[in-house]
Amino acid sequence: MFEQVEALRDEHRRVEKELSDPEVHADAARAKRVNRRYAELSRIVKAHDDWIAAGEDLETAREFAREDESIAAEIPGMEDHLQQAQERLRRLLIPRDPDDARDVIMEIKAGEGGAESALFAADLLRMYVQYAASKGWKTELLERTESDLGGYKDVQVAIKGSSTDPSQGVWAHLKYEGGVHRVQRVPATESQGRIHTSTTGVLVFPEVDEPDEIAINQNDLKIDVFRSSGPGGQSVNTTDSAVRITHVPSGIVVSMQNEKSQLQNREAAMRVLRARLLAKQQEELDAAASDARRSQIRGMDRSERIRTYNFPENRIADHRTGFKAYNLDQVMDGALEPIIESAIHADEEARLAALGSED
C-alpha cells in the first residue's frame, strides 16, 4: 500500500536540498515554485510517518495485550487512529489541481433582478472580503461599476494569500465559488414586503504568478484609451485614463477605469487578461481530458446555479454538495469555511472515485 510514497519521499529530499541552494532564491519565481512543492511534499511525508508510527504502535500493543488486559482495551482506539492516519494519507496522495497555490481574481456581476441583483453583488463582495480577512488574505479592488442604489453592476477584486502550502492556497478554496448565486429576500426597493428572487454571477480566475508565464504577443492586443465615467473625481472624468484591452486571438476584452493613471489601469487590465487566458488554457486542457478525471464539483459552466441564499429562513444551501445550514447571517459576515470545506470534500471523493475507476 502507498508504494508511490517512497518516490515522493525521495523527491522531498531533493527539493529540501534544492532549497539550500542560493541560486534558487536568486530567482523569485523559481523559489516560489520550489517552496510550494516542498510544502506539499512535507505534508505527505508527515502523514506517511504518522501512518507508519500508528501501525507500529498498534503492532506493539497487540504483542503486549497477550499479557496485559489493560493494553488490550486500548487496541480498538489505536485501530481507529490507524484508519484515520491511512485515510489522511490517501487523500493527500490525490493529484492536486496544479493551480491550488495561486492567488485569484474574482469578478461579481449583477444578473437577473436589476437593482436588487446589484445590491446583492455588493453583499457578496463584502462576504468574500470578510472571509479573506478571516484567512489572513489580502484583497485589492481592481475595478467596479456602481449601480444607482449603491450596489455593483460589476466588480473585480484580487485576493492574495501568503501560504506556500497549496492546500491553503486562495484558488484551492475559492475555485468552487464560480457560478450563479441565487438570493431570495425582500428587496430594499420593495414597498409591499414581497420576497423576490434574484441572481448574481461570480467568476473566479487563478492569477498568473509571473507576467512571462503567459506568453502574450503585443501585436495580438488592441488597446483603446477613453475618458472614465462615473465616480472617481474630476481628474478621472476629464482625462483619457480608462483602458480597454482586446486580445484579438481569444476575443477576451478587459476594461479598467478605477485608477486615475492610464498606466495603472493598463497594468490592472493586463493582470486580469493574463488570469483569463490562464483559465482559458486550463479549460482547453480539461476539455481534452477524459470525463472521469475532471472535477465533479468545479465545472466550467459559469451559468450553473450553485447556491441559494434564503434570507427569510436564514438558510444557505449549496446545490452541488447538498450542504444546508440556517446561519445565513453568519455566512454573509464571512463564515464560509464549512461550505467551502464541503465542496473540497466532495471534490476529493470524486477524484478518489475517478482514481478507483482507472485502477
Side-chain angles (χ1 to χ4, degrees):
M1 184 180 290
F2 302 140
E3 295 83 359
Q4 68 268 44
V5 175
E6 287 306 319
L8 294 174
R9 294 186 75 106
D10 288 341
E11 183 185 357
H12 181 260
R13 286 187 284 269
R14 292 196 301 272
V15 173
E16 187 173 38
K17 184 176 180 181
E18 193 174 358
L19 280 174
S20 64
D21 185 352
E23 290 187 6
V24 171
H25 298 280
D27 183 339
R30 182 184 174 190
K32 182 183 289 186
R33 289 193 300 271
V34 174
N35 270 298
R36 285 176 177 174
R37 184 58 176 163
Y38 181 71
E40 183 177 5
L41 291 170
S42 293
R43 295 176 75 235
I44 295 173
V45 168
K46 184 181 185 306
H48 189 235
D49 288 342
D50 291 345
W51 175 65
I52 291 174
E56 291 175 346
D57 290 346
L58 177 58
E59 189 64 30
T60 300
R62 283 172 173 165
E63 291 178 6
F64 283 106
R66 301 187 185 99
E67 301 175 359
D68 189 335
E69 291 185 0
S70 64
I71 294 179
E74 297 179 11
I75 287 180
M78 298 178 75
E79 289 174 337
D80 288 343
H81 180 64
L82 177 60
Q83 284 295 112
Q84 292 168 9
Q86 179 175 310
E87 178 62 15
R88 173 170 170 74
L89 178 56
R90 189 169 72 104
R91 288 184 176 276
L92 286 174
L93 291 175
I94 302 171
R96 293 205 70 89
D97 181 334
D99 293 330
D100 274 353
R102 293 184 187 272
D103 300 323
V104 309
I105 291 176
M106 176 180 284
E107 183 173 3
I108 306 172
K109 301 171 70 72
E112 296 179 1
E116 164 63 3
S117 176
L119 289 171
F120 188 58
D123 292 339
L124 286 180
L125 175 64
R126 178 179 176 276
M127 179 184 75
Y128 288 121
V129 169
Q130 294 281 82
Y131 175 66
S134 74
K135 302 286 288 184
W137 300 338
K138 296 181 179 179
T139 55
E140 176 189 358
L141 192 63
L142 297 178
E143 179 69 356
R144 64 185 184 274
T145 303
E146 297 180 2
S147 68
D148 295 337
L149 296 179
Y152 291 114
K153 296 178 182 177
D154 190 341
V155 59
Q156 296 181 48
V157 59
I159 306 176
K160 183 178 181 63
S162 58
S163 176
T164 58
D165 185 346
S167 70
Q168 299 304 311
V170 182
W171 175 254
H173 289 75
L174 293 183
K175 62 186 174 184
Y176 306 103
E177 295 302 297
V180 175
H181 295 240
R182 183 175 70 167
V183 58
Q184 296 172 324
R185 65 183 179 184
V186 179
T189 55
E190 171 59 54
S191 59
Q192 298 182 22
R194 292 174 299 186
I195 297 172
H196 288 222
T197 298
S198 304
T199 60
T200 300
V202 175
L203 306 178
V204 189
F205 305 100
E207 184 162 12
V208 173
D209 288 330
E210 300 294 332
D212 58 0
E213 184 180 344
I214 295 293
I216 299 178
N217 188 331
Q218 293 299 310
N219 293 328
D220 290 337
L221 300 180
K222 179 176 182 293
I223 302 176
D224 300 303
V225 295
F226 55 97
R227 189 159 298 177
S228 300
S229 60
Q234 183 177 359
S235 61
V236 171
N237 299 315
T238 59
T239 61
D240 290 336
S241 58
V243 174
R244 180 171 53 248
I245 299 179
T246 303
H247 184 252
V248 177
S250 66
I252 295 173
V253 180
V254 181
S255 296
M256 288 287 166
Q257 61 177 18
N258 198 49
E259 301 295 339
K260 296 180 180 180
S261 160
Q262 183 184 124
L263 178 61
Q264 288 175 308
N265 283 324
R266 176 168 176 156
E267 289 175 349
M270 288 300 296
R271 282 178 66 183
V272 174
L273 176 60
R274 292 187 193 99
R276 290 186 177 178
L277 286 172
L278 178 64
K280 186 175 187 297
Q281 185 181 89
Q282 189 58 51
E283 286 180 29
E284 292 169 351
L285 290 174
D286 284 346
S290 65
D291 290 340
R293 298 189 58 172
R294 294 167 63 183
S295 166
Q296 301 301 303
I297 302 301
R298 186 180 61 87
M300 300 311 295
D301 181 4
R302 294 174 182 145
S303 64
E304 177 190 13
R305 189 187 70 189
I306 67 166
R307 196 173 295 151
T308 293
Y309 304 73
N310 186 303
F311 280 76
E313 298 179 11
N314 200 34
R315 172 170 54 85
I316 180 80
D318 194 292
H319 306 298
R320 302 159 302 170
T321 67
F323 179 93
K324 185 183 293 184
Y326 291 85
N327 65 335
L328 179 56
D329 53 340
Q330 297 174 31
V331 170
M332 298 309 297
D333 282 335
L336 270 172
E337 195 68 12
I339 306 173
I340 289 175
E341 286 297 330
S342 74
I344 293 174
H345 181 77
D347 199 357
E348 288 178 348
E349 289 297 321
R351 288 171 182 266
L352 283 171
L355 288 174
S357 66
E358 289 178 359
D359 295 338

